Amino acid sequence: MDKPRPYFLGKLTYPCAFVFDIQKLKDPAKEMRTMEEMVGSGAFKFEKIAVDQQVDLVANADYWAGKPVLSRIERPYVGDASTRLSKYKTGEFDLVQLERADIDSLKADPAFKDHIKYFDRPAMWYIGLNCGILAPLKNPKVRLALAMAVDKEAIVRDTLGGVNKKADGIIPPGVFGYREKVKAVPYDPAQAKKLLAEAGYPDGKGFPKLEMSHRNNRPDIRLVAEAVGAQWTKNLGIKTTLRPLEWGAYLEQNNKKELPLFHMRWGADYLDAENFLSTLLASYGNENKVNYSNPKYDELCRRADTSQDPEERKRLYAEAEDLVLSEAPYIPIYFQRDAEMIRPTVKGMRESLFGHLPHTTTSVGP
């Protein structure tokens, strides 16, 4: 290594450290798309891959920990949330992820209310404000005004049905460096209007209409984006339209830092603050898509990234997190909590903060 990296062992659990067969995957920069390229030692083996349709897995009898209980797993790809739920209700699926809009009706349904399960994940949903494209968003006062005009509690309570935890900071619970109490940006519409006026846009006059990009076909994402836009209109007089994009097109533009305003998530690759504060928002971070740059912030993160003292790392990251929240290139909205429908006949599933562990002990009864 070129320098101390106290988070290095965590990185080894991430796909960037996975072993692959160079004879089968000639270009490791490209996606694996065929069974022949996917050489591994996991609990299941690929039986069939129909791209964007279905993946069929069969138990690996030679798995080092013993053959899994399940003989096979079928993973259909169904992009539409209502179709997924319908197939679950008719008995075609044993497990599906839910959109928040469906939870209340399912909780009221005696046949399915006990099937709902919740799982906290190390991920944060946020509004990204690109500091390098639109002139108003280059101004920290404008960004802070927009942050102060968002009522996160109302979004979590009313839009998301109270399932998720409001995010005051960047680092989610369960990640090294997380704090219950950060120097959070308060919901303060009056102060937000004052800041916006100081920036030259009294009551939103002269402020350009904003366009918020987001991934399509995900109702929760659209609902939160709509709620944020409505609050900006109500509290600041700023108009916002939504721009849903196909996921591939969205990522392509976001990777080029071409989206002025967007709503998305970041989930931990490994459970360390470096993977959030440095990776996402330091000028040297390879996932900094908002053109945020502050030398003091960079210095704090660089020191924390390499310190061998866990308490010093926490202190430095805390200072960095408070600083970046005050300049608002991100508006954290909520921490992710997945809601899933799982049939009572599914037994033996193992969990981690990252998600369901390999289904070595899972069984499905009649």
Side-chain angles (χ1 to χ4, degrees):
M1 289 188 288
D2 59 341
K3 57 187 176 182
R5 296 179 186 269
Y7 49 88
F8 179 70
L9 289 179
K11 270 201 162 186
L12 293 181
T13 67
Y14 183 56
C16 63
F18 288 2
V19 175
F20 64 90
D21 186 342
I22 198 168
Q23 299 301 319
K24 301 292 186 181
L25 187 66
K26 300 299 184 183
D27 185 354
K30 292 184 178 179
E31 277 188 347
M32 294 181 181
R33 303 285 283 181
T34 68
M35 289 189 290
E36 290 71 27
E37 294 172 327
M38 300 175 188
V39 179
S41 59
F44 289 85
K45 299 188 291 186
F46 289 100
E47 182 183 63
K48 182 181 71 174
I49 298 177
V51 176
D52 295 333
Q53 296 180 51
Q54 182 161 314
V55 172
D56 293 345
L57 306 169
V58 294
N60 179 4
D62 299 320
Y63 183 54
W64 65 270
K67 184 179 179 180
V69 175
L70 288 174
S71 61
R72 65 185 293 109
I73 298 175
E74 295 178 359
R75 296 291 300 268
Y77 171 76
V78 181
D80 181 69
S82 60
T83 303
R84 289 197 302 270
L85 182 57
S86 175
K87 286 180 176 292
Y88 181 91
K89 287 182 173 181
T90 58
E92 294 180 60
F93 293 167
D94 295 299
L95 185 157
V96 294
Q97 187 165 328
L98 292 175
E99 297 292 329
R100 301 302 181 271
D102 295 319
I103 291 177
D104 284 345
S105 62
L106 289 167
K107 286 168 66 175
D109 188 333
F112 293 108
K113 64 183 179 65
D114 294 332
H115 295 205
I116 305 171
K117 307 298 178 185
Y118 299 101
F119 303 94
D120 291 316
R121 302 300 185 209
M124 177 264 305
W125 287 85
Y126 65 95
I127 305 297
L129 307 172
N130 197 316
C131 310
I133 298 179
L134 296 180
L137 298 186
K138 294 179 182 180
N139 188 334
K141 284 189 175 182
V142 169
R143 299 196 303 269
L144 192 56
L146 291 170
M148 285 186 166
V150 175
D151 187 348
K152 303 175 190 179
E153 289 188 0
I155 290 174
V156 168
R157 181 187 65 243
D158 301 332
T159 305
L160 298 175
V163 171
N164 301 89
K165 180 177 181 176
K166 178 185 69 164
D168 285 327
I170 307 293
I171 305 170
V175 176
F176 175 86
Y178 168 75
R179 298 172 293 155
E180 277 287 344
K181 294 184 179 180
V182 299
K183 288 187 178 179
V185 174
Y187 175 56
D188 189 341
Q191 180 63 15
K193 291 185 71 171
K194 182 172 182 289
L195 286 170
L196 196 65
E198 290 175 1
Y201 305 100
D203 296 320
K205 293 184 176 67
F207 201 95
K209 179 181 285 188
L210 294 174
E211 184 177 68
M212 188 185 305
S213 300
H214 64 87
R215 181 180 181 175
N216 68 348
N217 293 330
R218 291 291 305 276
D220 285 356
I221 298 176
R222 174 182 54 79
L223 289 170
V224 172
E226 286 177 346
V228 171
Q231 290 178 1
W232 284 344
T233 299
K234 174 185 175 182
N235 294 326
L236 298 174
I238 292 174
K239 304 293 185 183
T240 307
T241 59
L242 301 188
R243 182 175 176 245
L245 290 170
E246 183 274 328
W247 184 230
Y250 177 95
L251 287 178
E252 181 179 1
Q253 292 183 41
N254 194 48
N255 287 336
K256 293 178 181 178
K257 305 183 181 182
E258 294 176 348
L259 301 180
L261 175 69
F262 55 90
H263 174 41
M264 69 179 300
R265 76 185 272 279
W266 178 259
D269 300 320
Y270 41 94
L271 301 177
D272 195 279
E274 183 273 345
N275 190 227
F276 284 81
L277 299 181
S278 304
T279 298
L280 294 176
L281 290 161
S283 64
Y284 58 86
N286 58 5
E287 292 293 336
N288 183 339
K289 310 302 184 187
V290 292
N291 291 294
Y292 175 72
S293 180
N294 181 318
K296 182 179 179 182
Y297 180 81
D298 285 356
E299 179 191 0
L300 290 166
C301 287
R302 285 188 191 278
R303 289 170 59 195
D305 292 348
T306 57
S307 173
Q308 300 296 293
D309 181 345
E311 293 307 312
E312 180 184 42
R313 296 188 73 220
K314 288 180 182 178
R315 178 180 59 78
L316 292 168
Y317 281 135
E319 190 175 345
E321 185 175 28
D322 288 343
L323 173 59
V324 78
L325 288 170
S326 72
E327 297 194 322
Y330 274 15
I331 305 174
I333 304 296
Y334 65 95
F335 295 125
Q336 185 166 326
R337 192 181 192 212
D338 290 345
E340 297 179 1
M341 294 288 282
I342 303 177
R343 294 196 182 283
T345 52
V346 177
K347 307 289 187 182
M349 290 180 63
R350 301 177 301 138
E351 303 300 326
S352 78
L353 198 57
F354 284 112
H356 305 308
L357 291 168
H359 292 289
T360 54
T361 59
T362 304
S363 64
V364 180

